[in-house]
Amino acid sequence: FVGGFTYSTALFESSTVEGMARHLRQLLEAALASPETRVSDLPLMTAEERRRVLLEWNDTARDFPRELPLTALFAMQADALPAAVAVTSGEQRLTYAQINTRANQVAWHLRTLGVRVGDRVGLCVERSPNLIVGMLGILKAGA
């Protein structure tokens, strides 16, 4: 079996196409070794690649104060990195400080409307940074 790849160098780097070729080879070798296996169950990655993706690249465990509520953890992040971008949507970007400030305003407004700890508050907003602000504000109000 001999094959080749023709691709636009404006769209792909050679290393990307070489990776695709390795994955195709892995798939074909697995199919030959186990022809009764469904294609969707065949591996694209080698065991080493799979280990790297699942274990090394996904090693995101961090210590944090688990006894603190999400609102306090977010406020700590806003204090530590106020100018860091926390949410992007299209051209809109909000920093941790901006989200925290706006969420505090939402929480204050909800409290002035009579929202108390444990109340349920509905939120009807399209997916956007405002959704994050609204959810955090509701949590900050205790609802």
Side-chain angles (χ1 to χ4, degrees):
F1 179 75
V2 177
F5 288 86
T6 302
Y7 62 96
S8 170
T9 56
L11 296 175
F12 298 100
E13 293 183 11
S14 61
S15 61
T16 302
V17 176
E18 289 167 4
M20 290 179 191
R22 279 193 311 275
H23 290 155
L24 178 59
R25 180 181 179 142
Q26 176 68 27
L27 178 75
L28 294 174
E29 287 176 353
L32 288 172
S34 183
E36 71 286 347
T37 304
R38 294 172 44 169
V39 173
S40 61
D41 293 333
L42 294 172
L44 286 175
M45 293 185 281
T46 64
E48 173 59 26
E49 284 177 311
R50 185 171 171 77
R51 186 194 63 74
R52 187 174 1 150
V53 168
L54 294 178
L55 299 177
E56 289 178 24
W57 294 355
N58 202 29
D59 184 15
T60 58
R62 299 289 180 265
D63 275 340
F64 64 92
R66 297 185 190 282
E67 69 283 354
L68 293 177
L70 174 67
T71 53
L73 293 171
F74 194 90
M76 288 170 55
Q77 185 71 7
D79 288 342
L81 299 167
V85 175
V87 176
T88 61
S89 178
E91 297 298 315
Q92 189 178 9
R93 289 173 169 56
L94 290 180
T95 65
Y96 284 100
Q98 289 171 320
I99 292 174
N100 199 47
T101 299
R102 292 178 187 183
N104 286 338
Q105 292 168 343
V106 169
W108 181 85
H109 183 68
L110 290 172
R111 287 188 196 119
T112 63
L113 293 173
V115 172
R116 294 172 303 198
V117 173
D119 284 352
R120 293 183 183 196
V121 175
L123 180 62
C124 182
V125 181
E126 290 187 25
R127 285 188 175 193
S128 69
N130 290 330
L131 176 64
I132 304 301
V133 170
M135 289 190 308
L136 188 58
I138 292 168
L139 291 173
K140 284 178 175 259

